[in-house]
């Protein structure tokens, strides 16, 4: 098979974004615009991607590296034709078909790119162009057809008169070119037009001069050709991807109580028979199993939540793992590397960070568990705190199977609690506790008889209590 490479044009600044960030770095559904374009290329089977960058290129270098792409720098933005020329210079010699994509058109799909590739090959055309028929084509270059349906010309709105503005078929800025044709013709482009730019679109006329044709492929879904030039269009693109994701999950057997009030990013997976309540936000590479219930207001980023688990309202989870049947929340906070065991229970106002909670263990109320290993069926009482940080370094707390931790305990790490031990409430544990031991750390209680009557009777008055007579001292 022919070797296919891609050039992604992404050097423009994007003035209408009114931003210090280059346009293609702005996020659509949580990922830079450029990322979506590169993913479509990669999913279409294209292995070599050259990114043409200019303005603020350091802000998008990470994305290019994620796709193993090459970078070609276009120092001055002289137009899409000039950008393609920069990109072509960086292509490997083996590439004989070149897909050109716009970094600011993030909704293009890999399936469509494959259609575009096939269309050019079948017609032995110099190029194929992805077009779209838009109800409001304003701002886009317009596609004019020959009587046989091939592309006659692409005219920028700024260069055309009122008759051009009436044309509703627009150029998406996505093309496939025969490499030799591209290499021969890019140096021949001229910048004699309203914008004084080298237009990639002028290659259509140059193809005709060589006796070759350019074939159009109309996008079935016109949203796919959207170019993003403003914050409004950016928000619309995110909304399109959000809706598409939720539709796909509905099809896959997920229940949404309020689909329009749920935000789920494209890479998230959710298993069948899961139920998602209003206001839930699922981000990044989150993987939700089957039969999971995620209640109102939960925010989950890059987490695994296994089958049958439940996230109660307003829990916030990041880079964590909730195993089968575990229940988290309401108002729980799982910070990176929290690993909540099967059937474990993390209750309200409990924060867990970089800790493994064993199967069936419980921390139901108001606790901080950090840098810890908690065994199976342990019970962490209300107000327990692992003091994991001594001001300089982090230390580990190990709590064995079946340990019962009384309320308001502090573990001053590093510290190890043997299995089956019992920690009396209110302890400050600074040393290891052997298995099955009772650990107590509190001063003995002292009661001073009638102290309140003698020293603070006003307290009793305030509470409406009668002041009793003093007991006689023995
Ligand atoms: C371009 C097309 C237009 C099409 C539209 C689709 C041309 C002449 N016009 O217009 O027909 O309808 O895209 O969205 O091609 N870029 C560079 N270097 C440059 C100029 C642009 O890398 O010197 C990049 C931009 O970063 C952007 C893409 O090319 O990602 C498109 O450039 P833009 O200036 O937005 O072109 P449009 O005017 O939208
Ligand atoms: Ca554009």
């Amino acid at each position: 098979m022919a070797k296919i490479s891609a050039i992604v044009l992404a050097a423009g600044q994007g003035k209408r974004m009114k931003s210090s960030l280059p346009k293609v770095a702005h996020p659509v559904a949580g990922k830079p615009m450029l990322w979506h374009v590169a993913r479509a290329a990669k999913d279409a089977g294209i292995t070599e991607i050259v990114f043409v960058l200019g303005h603020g290129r350091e802000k998008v270098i990470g994305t290019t590296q994620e796709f193993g792409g090459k970078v070609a720098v276009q120092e001055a933005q002289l137009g899409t034709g000039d950008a393609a020329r920069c990109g072509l210079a960086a292509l490997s010699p083996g590439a004989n078909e070149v897909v050109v994509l716009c970094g600011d058109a993030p909704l293009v799909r890999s399936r469509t790119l494959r259609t575009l590739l096939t269309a050019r090959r079948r017609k032995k055309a110099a190029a194929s162009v992805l077009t779209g028929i838009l109800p409001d084509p304003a701002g886009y270059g317009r596609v004019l057809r020959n009587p046989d349906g091939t592309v006659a010309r692409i005219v920028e709105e700024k260069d055309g008169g009122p008759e051009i503005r009436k044309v509703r078929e627009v150029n998406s800025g996505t093309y496939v070119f025969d490499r030799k044709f591209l290499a021969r013709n890019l140096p021949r482009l001229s910048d004699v037009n309203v914008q004084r730019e080298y237009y990639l679109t002028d290659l259509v006329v140059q193809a005709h001069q060589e006796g070759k044709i350019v074939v159009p492929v109309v996008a079935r879904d016109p949203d796919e050709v959207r170019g993003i030039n403003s914050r409004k269009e950016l928000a619309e693109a995110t909304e399109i991807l959000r809706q598409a994701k939720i539709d796909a999950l509905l099809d896959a057997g997920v229940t949404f109580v309020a689909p329009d009030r749920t935000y789920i990013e494209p890479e998230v997976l959710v298993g069948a028979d899961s139920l998602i309540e209003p206001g839930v936000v699922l981000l990044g590479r989150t993987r939700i199993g089957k039969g999971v219930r995620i209640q109102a207001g939960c925010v989950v980023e890059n987490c695994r939540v296994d089958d049958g688990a439940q996230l109660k309202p307003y829990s916030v989870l990041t880079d964590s793992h909730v195993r089968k049947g575990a229940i988290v929340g309401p108002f729980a906070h799982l910070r990176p590397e929290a690993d909540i065991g099967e059937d474990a229970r993390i209750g309200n106002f409990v924060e867990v960070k970089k800790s493994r909670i064993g199967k069936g263990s419980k921390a139901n109320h108001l606790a901080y568990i950090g840098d810890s290993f908690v065994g199976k069926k342990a019970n962490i009482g209300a107000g327990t705190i692992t003091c994991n940080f001594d001001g300089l370094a982090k230390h580990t707390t190990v709590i064995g199977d079946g340990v019962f931790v009384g309320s308001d305990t502090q573990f001053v790490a590093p510290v190890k609690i043997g299995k089956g031990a019992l920690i009396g409430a209110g302890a400050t544990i600074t040393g290891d506790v052997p298995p099955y031991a009772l650990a107590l750390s509190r001063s003995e209680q002292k009661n001073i008889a009638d102290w309140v009557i003698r020293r603070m009777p006003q307290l009793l008055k305030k509470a409406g209590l009668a002041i009793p007579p003093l007991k006689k001292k023995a």
Side-chain angles (χ1 to χ4, degrees):
M1 212 183 95
K3 188 167 176 287
I4 312 161
S5 297
I7 298 174
V8 182
L9 310 183
Q13 181 186 6
K15 288 200 186 75
R16 279 174 282 170
M17 300 297 286
K18 303 199 171 77
S19 175
S20 59
L21 209 58
K23 180 164 76 171
V24 295
H26 282 268
V28 168
K31 294 280 190 185
M33 267 185 231
L34 193 61
W35 181 94
H36 292 275
V37 178
R39 189 172 103 157
K42 203 179 167 202
D43 289 352
I46 299 165
T47 47
E48 183 183 49
I49 306 178
V50 172
F51 295 89
V52 181
L53 303 181
H55 281 286
R57 54 186 174 271
E58 64 287 346
K59 305 266 172 54
V60 287
I61 278 299
T63 303
T64 67
Q65 285 165 349
E66 188 178 336
F67 291 92
K70 289 185 196 167
V71 171
V73 177
Q74 186 196 25
E75 293 292 353
Q77 276 69 63
L78 304 178
T80 50
D82 181 66
R85 198 184 46 73
C86 288
L88 188 70
L91 279 194
S92 66
N96 42 31
E97 271 180 302
V98 183
V99 180
V100 174
L101 299 135
C102 281
D104 68 350
L107 300 182
V108 69
R109 289 183 209 142
S110 58
R111 193 163 26 108
T112 308
L113 296 181
R114 286 194 291 264
T115 310
L116 205 59
L117 281 157
T118 320
R120 191 196 70 84
R121 279 180 215 150
R122 204 180 284 148
K123 297 273 169 60
K124 296 194 173 58
S128 53
V129 187
L130 180 67
T131 75
I133 307 206
L134 303 188
D136 176 15
Y140 290 89
R142 305 298 209 282
V143 176
L144 305 181
R145 303 266 199 133
N146 289 315
D148 66 358
T150 59
V151 180
R153 269 192 312 147
I154 298 175
V155 184
E156 293 310 297
E157 191 171 83
K158 287 178 184 146
D159 295 302
E163 72 291 351
I164 288 292
R165 254 168 264 146
K166 275 188 224 144
V167 175
R168 283 175 52 223
E169 184 171 15
V170 306
N171 168 27
S172 71
T174 306
Y175 322 81
V176 178
F177 291 100
D178 167 51
R179 182 196 181 137
K180 288 196 186 115
F181 167 80
L182 198 61
R184 244 188 341 265
N185 283 284
L186 282 177
R188 296 181 189 157
L189 288 174
S190 97
D191 64 352
V192 183
N193 51 52
V194 170
Q195 306 188 80
R196 297 302 313 238
E197 285 184 359
Y198 296 93
Y199 289 169
L200 185 58
T201 45
D202 285 348
L203 290 182
V204 176
V205 172
Q206 291 179 206
H208 298 147
Q209 284 161 3
E210 286 193 0
K212 297 200 169 81
I213 59 163
V214 173
V215 289
V217 169
V218 183
R220 260 196 267 158
D221 175 2
D223 278 340
E224 217 179 320
V225 309
R226 279 174 183 250
I228 303 220
N229 298 304
S230 64
R231 303 267 181 169
K232 183 164 189 288
E233 288 164 349
L234 187 72
E236 286 165 356
T238 293
E239 176 58 15
I240 286 166
L241 291 184
R242 188 195 67 79
Q243 269 177 24
K245 183 69 195 180
I246 287 176
D247 285 347
L249 291 175
L250 287 165
D251 275 348
V254 178
T255 297
F256 286 88
V257 174
D260 284 344
R261 283 181 284 142
T262 316
Y263 176 66
I264 302 189
E265 288 184 349
E267 290 190 296
V268 171
L269 301 177
V270 185
D273 285 327
S274 287
L275 185 145
I276 296 179
E277 293 188 8
V280 167
V281 174
L282 303 179
L283 304 173
R285 307 189 68 105
T286 291
R287 305 268 179 278
I288 308 289
K290 292 181 191 147
V292 172
R293 181 170 178 202
I294 305 183
Q295 292 190 260
C298 287
V299 179
V300 183
E301 180 165 16
N302 292 327
C303 289
R304 270 176 68 189
V305 180
D306 294 345
D307 297 354
Q310 183 180 355
L311 307 183
K312 292 194 171 185
Y314 303 103
S315 295
V316 177
L317 291 73
T318 309
D319 296 315
S320 293
H321 186 182
V322 176
R323 292 176 195 255
K324 267 193 190 165
I327 301 175
V328 170
F331 302 102
H333 189 188
L334 302 189
R335 290 172 49 210
E337 293 179 59
D339 181 344
I340 311 304
E342 254 178 68
D343 300 319
R345 176 81 178 87
I346 300 297
N348 44 204
F349 308 108
V350 173
E351 173 179 338
V352 181
K353 186 218 76 170
K354 203 176 181 185
S355 293
R356 165 98 176 92
I357 309 295
K359 183 172 175 177
S361 287
K362 290 178 183 168
N364 269 328
H365 336 264
L366 301 147
Y368 172 61
I369 304 170
D371 302 286
S372 302
F373 296 92
V374 177
K376 294 177 204 149
K377 295 219 166 188
N379 197 309
I380 310 285
T384 297
I385 290 171
T386 57
C387 310
N388 58 332
F389 188 48
D390 61 12
L392 292 173
K394 299 280 164 68
H395 301 284
T396 306
T397 300
V398 180
I399 296 174
D401 292 347
V403 167
F404 184 95
V405 180
S407 295
D408 192 26
T409 293
Q410 304 99 53
F411 291 106
V412 182
V415 78
K416 236 175 154 167
I417 315 303
K419 69 174 169 190
L422 179 66
I423 313 291
T428 301
I429 301 295
T430 54
D432 291 354
V433 177
Y436 314 111
L438 167 67
L440 291 175
S441 124
R442 30 169 114 130
S443 51
E444 213 171 297
Q445 184 172 326
K446 185 168 145 192
N447 297 334
I448 302 171
D450 291 341
W451 188 92
V452 181
I453 301 171
R454 278 187 277 113
R455 306 292 289 270
M456 281 185 82
Q458 63 274 36
L459 210 60
L460 303 177
K461 268 190 211 153
K462 202 175 151 198
L465 293 179
I467 299 186
L470 288 170
K471 277 181 215 119
K472 285 202 185 111
K473 273 196 183 157

